[in-house]
Amino acid sequence: TGMAITLDIGEEEDIHPANKQEVGLRLARLALHNDYGYQDLVATGPLYKSKTLHPNAIDLSFDHIGNGLIAKPVLSGFEIASSEGPFVPAKAQIIGNQVRVSSPKVRNPQRVRYGWKNYFEGTLFNSEGLPASSFETP
């Protein structure tokens, strides 16, 4: 099985993207990589892997970053929270192969989420142009 991430080609009023060709190409990448041995092919967009906590920020690491992470056009859709507080909109920036997320409203942040809405246009991609999946950290 596999998951084709379509945060960049979805439609707000229709759960089924009209761009079926791109969905098919993304599913084909998964099959080629997972089942046909094309290990050099990046199969999917970035998937959340782990977090590193800092006093005023959280650094996020991802699998499937290809040749690096990019923003299209700028990073948005990130939210941050303390262990017990509510999520608030956050600033995110790519630093190397990680994303640093912070907000002056949250001290000692513990959790991050991205694209946590019914409809969201992805802004985080790998260099191969594949979008990151929405996620919430533990």
Side-chain angles (χ1 to χ4, degrees):
T1 63
M3 174 179 67
I5 302 162
T6 59
L7 287 178
D8 59 326
I9 59 172
E11 298 173 27
E12 187 169 10
E13 301 298 324
D14 190 350
I15 193 168
H16 301 285
N19 187 346
K20 304 291 190 220
Q21 184 173 6
E22 185 61 33
V23 174
L25 290 170
R26 291 177 187 184
L27 289 169
R29 291 176 81 96
L30 287 165
L32 288 168
H33 181 270
N34 296 340
D35 301 317
Y36 292 96
Y38 288 78
Q39 296 303 305
D40 292 340
L41 180 68
V42 178
T44 186
L47 298 176
Y48 168 75
K49 178 172 139 181
S50 64
K51 66 183 178 183
T52 303
L53 302 177
H54 301 286
N56 294 310
I58 298 177
D59 289 344
L60 304 171
S61 295
F62 298 86
D63 288 324
H64 308 287
I65 62 170
N67 290 315
L69 298 171
I70 60 172
K72 289 183 181 181
V74 295
L75 288 182
S76 65
F78 285 86
E79 298 172 291
I80 197 166
S82 64
S83 60
E84 298 160 3
F87 280 96
V88 299
K91 176 186 172 191
Q93 60 182 343
I94 296 170
I95 300 175
N97 287 326
Q98 296 184 319
V99 174
R100 177 164 291 166
V101 183
S102 64
S103 171
K105 296 180 180 179
V106 178
R107 290 200 169 277
N108 194 26
Q110 300 291 310
R111 303 174 295 150
V112 171
R113 64 187 183 189
Y114 167 72
W116 210 250
K117 299 177 181 184
N118 286 338
Y119 176 76
F120 173 72
E121 290 189 24
T123 61
L124 177 63
F125 293 76
N126 59 24
S127 59
E128 286 70 21
L130 299 169
S133 178
S134 56
F135 64 87
E136 181 175 353
T137 67

